[in-house]
Amino acid sequence: MNIICIAGNLGRDAEIRSTPQGDQVVSFSVGDNSGRDKPTLWWNCQFWGKRAVSVADYLRKGQSVTVAGVASEREWTDKEGNQRKSMDIRVYDVSLQGGRSEASAPAPAPRQQQRAPAPPNDGWDDPNDPPF
């Protein structure tokens, strides 16, 4: 098992899908830029379960994230008959990095402001005139 931790930016918004058995999976891609002169390596990520679904709304294109999971390499043949490879991560932890921009996440529910309770009126009307 290859455990990996990747920090990068999301290349697309997260997509939620369900398996025929009812399990939910969130798919997204993370670009890992190893340096200025090196090409970006793209990781296809799958995050399973309720926790994945709850964080999916915050996984928007361009969002900086750190992803931890099990890495694997997948090979397939595309429509033109070319052999292709992809790097995949079965995610077990994802952390949002940096500040949240308005475009990257839904706005939080507005908080209701609570007023401080009024102090009891014990006959002391003027703060400069003590009641003794």
Side-chain angles (χ1 to χ4, degrees), residues 57-58 60-64 97-108:
D57 287 339
Y58 297 93
R60 298 285 180 225
K61 182 177 180 176
Q63 174 70 44
S64 294
Q97 303 298 316
R100 189 190 78 210
S101 68
E102 290 179 20
S104 68

Side-chain angles (χ1 to χ4, degrees), residues 77-122:
T77 305
D78 67 11
K79 294 177 183 177
E80 290 82 35
N82 300 319
Q83 288 288 73
R84 308 281 295 191
K85 291 183 181 182
S86 70
M87 302 300 292
D88 297 341
I89 300 176
R90 183 172 176 136
V91 177
Y92 62 78
D93 191 29
V94 63
S95 299
L96 303 177
Q97 303 298 316
R100 189 190 78 210
S101 68
E102 290 179 20
S104 68
R111 290 187 180 184
Q112 293 182 357
Q113 287 189 328
Q114 297 179 354
R115 289 184 159 188
N121 187 356
D122 52 0

Side-chain angles (χ1 to χ4, degrees), residues 20-128:
Q21 295 79 20
D23 296 325
Q24 292 185 309
V25 60
V26 175
S27 300
F28 55 94
S29 62
V30 176
D32 174 22
N33 190 350
S34 300
R36 184 178 296 181
D37 298 332
K38 297 181 182 177
T40 299
L41 181 62
W42 288 97
W43 298 84
N44 295 316
C45 300
Q46 292 81 38
F47 193 14
W48 293 80
K50 292 179 183 177
R51 193 164 151 242
V53 174
S54 67
V55 77
D57 287 339
Y58 297 93
L59 299 176
R60 298 285 180 225
K61 182 177 180 176
Q63 174 70 44
S64 294
V65 296
T66 299
V67 173
V70 179
S72 63
E73 183 178 34
R74 186 169 45 106
E75 296 182 19
W76 77 94
T77 305
D78 67 11
K79 294 177 183 177
E80 290 82 35
N82 300 319
Q83 288 288 73
R84 308 281 295 191
K85 291 183 181 182
S86 70
M87 302 300 292
D88 297 341
I89 300 176
R90 183 172 176 136
V91 177
Y92 62 78
D93 191 29
V94 63
S95 299
L96 303 177
Q97 303 298 316
R100 189 190 78 210
S101 68
E102 290 179 20
S104 68
R111 290 187 180 184
Q112 293 182 357
Q113 287 189 328
Q114 297 179 354
R115 289 184 159 188
N121 187 356
D122 52 0
W124 190 8
D125 296 331
D126 184 4
N128 295 323

